[in-house]
Every structure is written in C-alpha cells, then in structure tokens.
Amino acid sequence: MSLIVVTGAGGGIGAAVCARLLEDGYSVLATDLAPEPALAKAPSLATAYAEGRLSYLPVDVTSEQSVAALEEYLRQLGRPLQGLVNCAGIVHTAPLLETSYADWKRVNAVNADGVFLVTREVAWLMLEQADTDPTNSRGIVTVSSNAATTPRTEFGAYGASKAAALQVSRSFGLQLAAHGIRVNTVCPGTTRTPMVTDPWDGQDLSAQPIAGNPASYRLGIPLGRIADPQDIAEPIAFLTSPAARHITLQNLTVDGGATF
C-alpha cells in the first residue's frame, strides 16, 4: 500500500485530507506538533488508526533536526512513498506596521520554512526510491492561501509567508518534473477550521467573510458560503492521485470566487 505523508494533520484541513486519502486506499503518515495523535480520536480516522493504515509521528516543521528525523523514520519504514501534503500552517492577523519581527519570523518559519524543509527531505527520499517515474504517479501538494496572491490589510505577514510557500513549491516542481514528481499548490479561502473559528468566541461570524470588507481589500465570497475542510481535501486528493499525472507547477484557488 503506497504511503502519503501529511503535515499539520491535527488541523481541520489536515485531518480532512487524511480521511480523504484513506478513502482512496492510501496508507497515511500523519504528522503534527502534538506528542500524541489526538486526530486518531476522530470517528473518521479511529478505525484506520487501529488497523495501522493511519500512523502518527510528532514533527516540528520549523526544526531541521525534527524534519531530518521524519526522513530517517520514512527511510526505515522502507515503504513506497507516493506523496506529500504540506498542510502545516499558522495564522497571524495584524497590519504590517503593528507586526513584531518575532511574529514575522514565527509565521514564516511554519508556513514557508516548513514547506522548504519537509519538501526537500521527502523529495530526496522519493528520488532515492526511484530516480525516475515515467507514470508521474508521485505528487506533492502544498496548502497555501488565497492571501498569497491578494493582499489584505490584516494578513501582511501571513500572506507573505503563504506566497513564499507557493513559490518554493513551484521551484521544487520545476526541478522535480524531470524525475516524474509533480508539485502543485492549493490556495483555500476562508475555511471552517479552528484557525478561523476560534477567534469567533463561539459565535457564527461566517457572514462577515462572505459579505467581504472593501476597507481590507476583501472581495467577499460570491458562492455565499465559507468552505468546509472537505471542500479543500477533495482537490488535494485529486492532485496527489495518478489522475493528475499531467498536472504540475499549478496553483488551484479554492475560495468560492473570493479572488480571481
């Protein structure tokens, strides 16, 4: 059974991606910061975890040492590595004039440096397993954000970090294409995950991003709803699958038409 690594698996999108890939018959190695795999308690994942189709490894994507330990773990497994989904990410909301350098470095360390470190190590292992793949079946997908391409007043550091994640993924894709490894990005818009809903303090404030805020250069969401994690997991599952074997270096924005 082919293996796919998912970083940030404890988040809303990460957990949904794990569940969707398991449905497609993949074995999934979920990674996150937590020492224990809390995501295994989710009804959609508990059975797979008990059966061994879903495994867990704590990984800090901002630490080169921790990412190297992930690579060594994968090497020892000796399983065919089919793909990687970079879901690990954090948000920071403040205008740039009110953003500290510490906050700037923290959000870039997770959202940009983490994508570089993990993709680099996983790609090297893929090349070691098979230098070329004529079927182009192996895929890497990075979850960026529509804030990477549309500036917003409150998302200066976050948008810059996600733009870096998008660009480093494209650069990896250009280098790895000759080896039959595809690299694409998915840019979600507002999605109903704890990262978005926790600041709402128990209220349903989804009407605000749907309506938009011209003062913050936010266009609203023409489709009239914020995304569920499953809405993001579906295109990710497609891009990691052999069905997308002729797609690489592409960015798919999944935000209900909020940016275009």
Side-chain angles (χ1 to χ4, degrees):
M1 185 181 297
S2 296
L3 178 66
I4 295 182
V5 178
V6 180
T7 70
I13 291 176
V17 168
C18 289
R20 184 63 182 81
L21 293 174
L22 288 164
E23 287 179 10
D24 283 349
Y26 293 108
S27 175
V28 175
L29 173 61
T31 77
D32 213 308
L33 272 176
E36 298 294 333
L39 76 164
K41 298 177 181 179
S44 61
L45 300 174
T47 300
Y49 188 76
E51 295 173 348
R53 294 185 294 117
L54 172 67
S55 55
Y56 181 81
L57 184 72
V59 174
D60 179 357
V61 299
T62 70
S63 164
E64 190 171 15
Q65 182 179 9
S66 183
V67 173
L70 165 64
E71 190 268 346
E72 181 59 27
Y73 178 85
L74 291 168
R75 185 184 304 277
Q76 295 299 321
L77 277 182
R79 301 274 298 279
L81 192 53
Q82 189 73 22
L84 163 69
V85 182
N86 290 304
C87 283
I90 59 173
V91 70
H92 175 70
T93 56
L96 284 176
L97 288 175
E98 282 77 54
T99 297
S100 70
Y101 187 38
D103 283 336
W104 172 272
K105 290 190 291 185
R106 181 176 62 91
V107 73
N108 277 277
V110 177
N111 296 350
D113 297 352
V115 170
F116 164 69
L117 289 172
V118 177
T119 304
R120 184 186 64 178
E121 295 308 307
V122 168
W124 272 121
L125 185 55
M126 284 182 170
L127 292 176
E128 183 178 304
Q129 289 184 347
D131 182 65
T132 57
D133 175 13
T135 65
N136 303 328
S137 65
R138 295 174 295 178
I140 296 172
V141 179
T142 294
V143 178
S144 180
S145 167
N146 64 355
T149 55
T150 300
R152 292 168 178 169
T153 303
E154 300 292 324
F155 289 96
Y158 176 75
S161 70
K162 287 297 190 177
L166 189 158
Q167 190 63 18
V168 75
S169 296
R170 284 174 168 167
S171 296
F172 271 121
L174 193 60
Q175 183 176 8
L176 295 172
H179 302 276
I181 300 172
R182 299 171 293 101
V183 186
N184 295 287
T185 57
V186 169
C187 283
T190 305
T191 304
R192 197 178 298 277
T193 65
M195 184 184 294
V196 170
T197 60
D198 282 352
W200 294 354
D201 293 326
Q203 303 179 68
D204 184 358
L205 301 182
S206 56
Q208 294 180 3
I210 292 171
N213 182 358
S216 296
Y217 303 98
R218 299 182 69 177
L219 302 177
I221 304 176
L223 283 182
R225 57 184 288 271
I226 66 174
D228 292 322
Q230 187 68 21
D231 297 321
I232 313 303
E234 290 291 342
I236 290 173
F238 166 69
L239 288 171
T240 55
S241 75
R245 70 177 188 172
H246 204 55
I247 301 175
T248 195
L249 293 164
Q250 301 304 306
N251 175 49
L252 178 60
T253 301
V254 187
D255 66 359
T259 59
F260 50 88

